[in-house]
Amino acid sequence: MSARPDADFQTRLQNLLPKLVLSPSLALIFFFVYGFILFTIYVSFTDSRILPFVGNGGVPAYDLIGFSNYQKLFSLSHWEIALTNMAIFAGLYIVICSALGLMLAIFLDQKIRGEGVLRPLYLYPMALSFIVTGTAWKWFLDPAIGLENIVQTWGWTSFTFDWIKNRDFAIYTVVLAAVWQSSGFVMAMFLAGLRGIDNEILKAAQMDGASNWNLYRRIIIPQLRPAFLSAFVILAHLAIKTFDLVIAMTGGGPGRATELPATFMYSYTFSRNQMGIGASSAVIMLMTIAAIMIPYLYAELREKK
Amino acid sequence: MAVSSTDTAIRTGRVTRTLIYLVLVLFALFYLLPLYVMMVNSLKPLPEITGGGMMSLPQIWTIEPWLKAWSTAQIGVEPTGLRPYFWNSISMVVPAVAISTILGALNGYVLTKWRFRFDTILFGLMLFACFIPFQIVLIPMAAVLGFLGLAGSTAGLVLVHVVYGLGFSTLYFRNYYAVFPTELVRAAQIDGASFFQIFWRILLPSSGPIAVVCVIWQFTNIWNDFLFGASFASGEGAPMTVALNNLVQSSTGVKEYNVHFAGAILAALPTLLVYIVAGRYFVRGLMAGSVKG
């Protein structure tokens, strides 16, 4: 009889155990992710300039100032440049990566000899740090020692390519490096999609006399819709998060020509000590990503159920 | 991924095929270009680069830039080379990867085999955490690390990477365990196996592949992180990426491009090696990271 409460405790423990095991992770996520998001939103409504806990003996003593930070943010030319650059960068990055990825995937899907060699070559940039590849591109595109200089020493002395130093074109060099880094990944996503298409349908269409072009246009590419969606979501979220690459290649310059929201947030928060502005720009970034990711994740998780 | 389709219906002519091969090879060269540039220029004396020879093989081969980047180059104010920062990165990556992978495995196990109300919502919340722009947590994180006395320390970065790596590691194991036969778990339960016994004896022995995927993904991501490193540990405790950036961006003295390239390869070497040895698993992680399980 005395063993009973003990056994009871045992089963209750066993029943509780799964939740107990999950709870540390949940606690971390709730505190460090969702708690922090709320805190940053709070900071974005205050006039804080310094880190909480550091300068004022443990108590954040800010004044709430409503939406002033957001008003100020959207009146800053610096932020406007960051947003314009984001639009140019994200637009080109997503379109070029998708087009290039699709083309390479279709080409690689033609029973290519040496696919096993080519595929890893297209994909390895994804394994490298943006700081590493940014450094390589920075010096390769530098007019003094890189491409311009190389072509000139080859004999074409009037050749100029100074985009990375040119305010009007520097952002396109960042696009180039970013496309180089992630297009192989998009290729892999499309290739997986292509390999999942039922060959019987293709054969039937071919019997009916469909040309290769029509086969791709009418049957294959429409079937890649899920791959397009995934590629779009992944690329859009990578674009919004782009930070290291700009820091390594241009540092946001020349002038402010390659500032993006991520570099803007960083410099306002840590170099200029404008926490409130920095926080409000981070909130805008989060909202943009949430608008893309939440519907996508919601659909994905529902599908699996 | 990429299981060769058994019989492709598409047929292409000889000219088209030649063109396709040509394009594919040209792009291979394009992808190799930065690696080539880094490699050859890290092995030549500086005047050969500044004299317009960036694309040529070294006329004089030298490993001097490598030695300099590793042990004597000026990083910030100290002429320490990248060596101490390399070890910073190692001592940050190893515990962070280990802890986040173990927690991810346990979470995946609970979320698939011990389902309870709201588990999908909780998982959704964990998953969304993978995709947030980390700018949204920088300010409170800096404050909390300062409060805990972990600012600028490797331990602080380990904490940061464990927290923000949890979503992905949970995702991997959850998707993997979701297709593991639940009947086996129930049978073991009826036989009286405990929660941990089931995990240890039944699920873990078959978790090899996904553990490799998870470890490689976390390793690559954490090693390559720059934002957290630059925000919370820019001094002596900086990881390799931050130190490399300091080396390249330093505005004093002659720009030693060859040393920069050597440093860049040093920073890339660990993840590049992992990719060469286990690229297949890296790609699997990448694909699962696009959520499709």
Side-chain angles (χ1 to χ4, degrees), chain A residues 98 101-102 105 185-195 224 227-228 231:
Chain A
S98 306
L102 181 63
F185 171 38
V186 182
M187 178 279 297
M189 287 167 77
F190 281 128
L191 194 58
L194 285 171
R195 299 270 150 96
L224 289 177
F228 271 105

Side-chain angles (χ1 to χ4, degrees), chain A residues 14 25 32 34 40 110-111 113 120 122-124 127 139 180 183 199 203 206 212 241 248 266 296 300, chain B residues 3 7 9-11 17 21 24 30-31 35 107 125 132 136 164 195 224 230 249 260 271 275 290 292:
Chain A
Q14 282 296 325
S25 300
F32 285 98
Y34 295 98
T40 303
Q110 310 300 324
K111 296 206 162 171
R113 220 177 299 158
Y122 295 169
L123 259 161
Y124 87 91
W139 294 142
W180 175 83
S183 45
N199 258 315
K203 276 187 194 150
Q206 212 166 32
N212 279 352
K241 284 174 144 181
Y266 191 84
Y296 179 70
E300 289 274 327
Chain B
V3 201
D7 186 17
I10 310 290
R11 266 174 256 280
R17 280 194 83 74
Y21 272 103
L24 288 175
F30 168 65
Y31 287 113
L35 193 62
N107 294 344
L125 286 172
I132 57 167
I136 197 78
Y164 301 108
F195 174 84
N224 288 344
Q249 310 292 350
H260 298 175
T271 54
Y275 182 73
S290 60
K292 290 261 179 282

Side-chain angles (χ1 to χ4, degrees), chain A residues 119, chain B residues 1 213 216 274-285:
Chain A
R119 215 170 357 101
Chain B
M1 59 140 253
V213 168
I216 287 178
V274 166
Y275 182 73
I276 291 168
V277 173
R280 214 157 47 87
Y281 290 98
F282 174 75
V283 176
R284 267 182 63 183

Side-chain angles (χ1 to χ4, degrees), chain A residues 24-35:
Chain A
S25 300
L26 285 178
L28 287 176
I29 296 277
F30 277 110
F31 182 75
F32 285 98
V33 177
Y34 295 98

Side-chain angles (χ1 to χ4, degrees), chain B residues 101 105 109 172-173 176-177 180 198-200 202-215 281 284:
Chain B
T101 304
Y109 168 50
Y172 290 140
F173 283 98
Y176 189 76
Y177 289 152
F180 187 89
I198 295 172
F199 179 65
W200 196 251
I202 300 179
L203 278 117
L204 214 52
S206 68
S207 305
I210 201 65
V212 175
V213 168
C214 184
V215 164
Y281 290 98
R284 267 182 63 183

Side-chain angles (χ1 to χ4, degrees), chain A residues 201-210 212 215, chain B residues 8-11:
Chain A
I201 306 171
L202 302 186
K203 276 187 194 150
Q206 212 166 32
M207 296 271 211
D208 291 342
N212 279 352
L215 220 51
Chain B
T8 320
I10 310 290
R11 266 174 256 280

